[in-house]
Amino acid sequence: MNNVYGINLIPDNDTERIAALERYQIFNSHREKAFDSICELACELFSCPISHISFLNADTEFIKAEVGLNGLQYVSRSVGFCSVAILQPELLLVEDTHKHELFVNHPYVTDKLRIRFYAGAPIITPDGYIIGTMCLIDTEPRSLAEKEKKLLKKLADVAMEQTQLRLDNLSLLQQRDEFIAIASHEMRTPVTALKAAIQVLHTHQDGPVGLQKAMVEQANRSVKKLTYLVNDLFDTSRLAARKYNLEKTFFDLGELISNCCDFVKVSGKHELDIEGDLSVQIFADKEKIEQVLVNLVENAIKYAPDSPVILIRIHQLTDVVRIYVTDRGPGIGPNQLPHIFKRYFRSENGAPQAGLGLGLYICAEIVKQHGGEIGVESEQGIGSTFWFTIPVAA
Ligand code: ADP
């Protein structure tokens, strides 16, 4: 349909504006109670027969929610009132369409809808793009007091907040689905290996000792992997429910490190170097600090398998002790570093031993609960140093 206004309806930033609208994934979405309720509220508050919330893309006005428009969903951009309202960040107020040069000959004024009054408050994203409008329509001319104008703008803000909440909700659901897919995939691998080992042991009960030993080892590895996965899941749900009680005691950090990291030597592939003041005492939850250390060292083994040496360094500062775990592995890309401690984050070049992307998140939560800090420095091709601090005193 031709532009009925005879003015340019396309703002300079229309491409960016449409990109901003697309981010919210709201165009063409189903009707939703929360948006309908805003329109119902608007009609009540302003004693107005028609109210709607619209979003505008390149060529169409999509009516997300409405009262009094009989389920109307789409209007062409060249005709909709919303197309004019989005041209400026202020409220578009047309007190009487018959006296307004842009609207006096508009088909919705002269024909079926017989609109006399229109007020459209722009729906503006936090980064300043006008993606839609919150509108009032009446078949009688009317005016709005200053207070009412503010109220309508406030309703437009509420519509924006609802649009944001809706998106947050969508991405949480998406994250949950992705996580379930990853978790079941990660669990299936050791379960399959375990089943296979048990089957071989069952059918070769009198088989060669070597085969039996290999199968028992495979079963052990699978059970170990499953235990890690289940523990990570359990820790994460306890963290989310804030059910982590720290049981703090004074203990020797050096002793803890040499005891808990013995498994590195057993693996035989890596050497563990421990440097710094081994006699330092800290006041913390011993088991949890051990969990953090073991996790960082295990990560070095998993993600830096060709690094011959893993270095643990203890550095005592005035109020805190800082512990570094360094490997000479592949390192972490600069675009991944900011996300590394986030829940469920796993790099794309995942190692075969990769977990659920929960290990570092759990470490960070434990360190934070102790009032410490956690961080990483890494260079691709050179290696990574993970560090954390724990306050020394009670
Ligand atoms: P997971 O529990 O799955 O092992 P983490 O939260 O411990 O996950 O680690 C998240 C991601 O960080 C891993 O997928 C891995 O890519 C990366 N990462 C962790 N430690 C190292 C390391 N020492 N070297 C290289 N990448 C690492």
Side-chain angles (χ1 to χ4, degrees):
M1 200 184 277
N2 289 335
N3 175 349
V4 300
Y5 297 103
I7 60 164
N8 176 24
L9 293 174
I10 311 296
D12 288 345
N13 69 350
D14 209 47
T15 311
E16 295 84 359
R17 191 192 68 75
I18 292 164
L21 170 67
E22 278 168 5
R23 274 205 312 269
Y24 289 95
Q25 299 173 34
I26 196 158
F27 208 87
N28 285 339
S29 57
H30 293 297
R31 281 192 85 130
E32 279 162 288
K33 181 89 190 77
F35 291 91
D36 283 340
S37 298
I38 299 173
C39 291
E40 283 159 19
L41 192 66
C43 287
E44 283 289 322
L45 281 172
F46 293 93
S47 305
C48 199
I50 302 170
S51 154
H52 67 97
I53 293 172
S54 288
F55 294 94
L56 194 78
N57 76 0
D59 47 31
T60 307
E61 175 181 335
F62 164 62
I63 300 174
K64 169 73 185 163
E66 53 83 23
V67 171
L69 286 177
N70 301 321
L72 181 67
Q73 267 199 305
Y74 297 102
V75 178
S76 162
R77 185 170 183 176
S78 53
V79 178
F81 280 34
C82 183
S83 313
V84 181
I86 63 118
L87 294 177
Q88 30 110 49
E90 289 310 312
L91 183 85
L92 172 65
L93 182 60
V94 184
E95 295 186 338
D96 185 351
T97 50
H98 288 186
K99 294 184 182 152
H100 197 294
E101 58 171 5
L102 266 187
F103 296 96
V104 64
N105 293 317
H106 193 287
Y108 292 170
V109 173
T110 53
D111 293 347
K112 48 186 177 180
L113 286 170
R114 304 209 164 269
I115 296 174
R116 289 296 293 273
F117 165 81
Y118 171 86
I123 296 175
I124 308 175
T125 63
D127 51 352
Y129 293 106
I130 304 175
I131 55 173
T133 50
M134 166 83 236
C135 309
L136 293 175
I137 291 174
D138 205 340
T139 46
E140 302 294 331
R142 57 188 286 176
S143 58
L144 286 185
E146 279 312 307
K147 213 170 146 193
E148 290 177 308
K149 289 181 196 168
K150 278 196 189 140
L151 199 59
L152 187 60
K153 282 193 201 162
K154 197 81 210 149
L155 284 181
D157 292 346
V158 174
M160 183 63 237
E161 279 154 27
Q162 189 54 43
T163 306
Q164 180 66 54
L165 277 175
R166 183 183 174 281
L167 180 67
D168 294 346
N169 207 14
L170 280 179
S171 45
L172 275 178
L173 288 174
Q174 208 173 330
Q175 250 186 37
R176 187 200 60 183
D177 289 349
E178 275 168 22
F179 177 70
I180 291 173
I182 291 172
S184 32
H185 177 262
E186 290 297 327
M187 299 244 172
R188 200 176 303 134
T189 315
V191 167
T192 311
L194 184 59
K195 260 164 64 182
I198 292 171
Q199 236 163 34
V200 173
L201 282 171
H202 184 70
T203 45
H204 294 83
Q205 285 178 25
D206 302 319
V209 177
L211 176 73
Q212 292 199 354
K213 202 168 157 235
M215 287 303 107
V216 169
E217 271 166 16
Q218 176 174 315
N220 262 334
R221 272 197 306 277
S222 308
V223 169
K224 203 168 142 199
K225 168 96 186 182
L226 279 170
T227 313
Y228 279 138
L229 294 173
V230 172
N231 283 347
D232 273 3
L233 284 173
F234 187 58
D235 279 349
T236 307
S237 70
R238 279 201 303 170
L239 282 167
R242 307 215 169 274
K243 280 189 189 150
Y244 241 25
N245 287 329
L246 297 181
E247 287 174 24
K248 292 188 181 180
T249 53
F250 278 103
F251 61 89
D252 240 26
L253 191 56
E255 199 182 301
L256 173 97
I257 294 175
S258 27
N259 287 345
C260 77
C261 295
D262 253 6
F263 70 93
V264 180
K265 291 174 210 145
V266 177
S267 84
K269 278 200 201 151
H270 298 263
E271 200 180 299
L272 189 70
D273 271 3
I274 307 173
E275 277 180 11
D277 188 355
L278 298 183
S279 63
V280 65
Q281 279 233 326
I282 60 169
F283 183 67
D285 187 317
K286 195 173 173 183
E287 235 178 73
K288 297 279 174 291
I289 298 301
E290 180 174 321
Q291 189 177 346
V292 174
L293 258 168
V294 168
N295 209 311
L296 295 182
V297 172
E298 268 175 358
N299 273 1
I301 294 175
K302 271 197 293 191
Y303 302 112
D306 299 326
S307 165
V309 178
I310 298 162
L311 174 67
I312 300 182
R313 197 154 57 85
I314 303 171
H315 185 44
Q316 174 146 28
L317 299 153
T318 322
D319 302 323
V320 296
V321 57
R322 192 183 279 249
I323 300 136
Y324 301 85
V325 178
T326 300
D327 64 63
R328 296 274 163 253
I332 301 154
N335 52 340
Q336 306 200 351
L337 273 181
H339 309 288
I340 205 96
F341 294 102
K342 286 186 189 159
R343 191 156 32 155
Y344 310 137
F345 178 82
R346 314 189 317 161
S347 71
E348 300 104 40
N349 51 337
Q353 294 297 313
L356 299 171
L358 290 173
L360 288 176
Y361 162 75
I362 293 169
C363 291
E365 288 299 311
I366 292 174
V367 170
K368 272 190 241 158
Q369 284 189 17
H370 277 85
E373 287 179 275
I374 191 160
V376 57
E377 272 105 49
S378 184
E379 214 176 312
Q380 278 184 300
I382 305 281
S384 310
T385 296
F386 283 86
W387 58 264
F388 64 96
T389 61
I390 296 293
V392 188

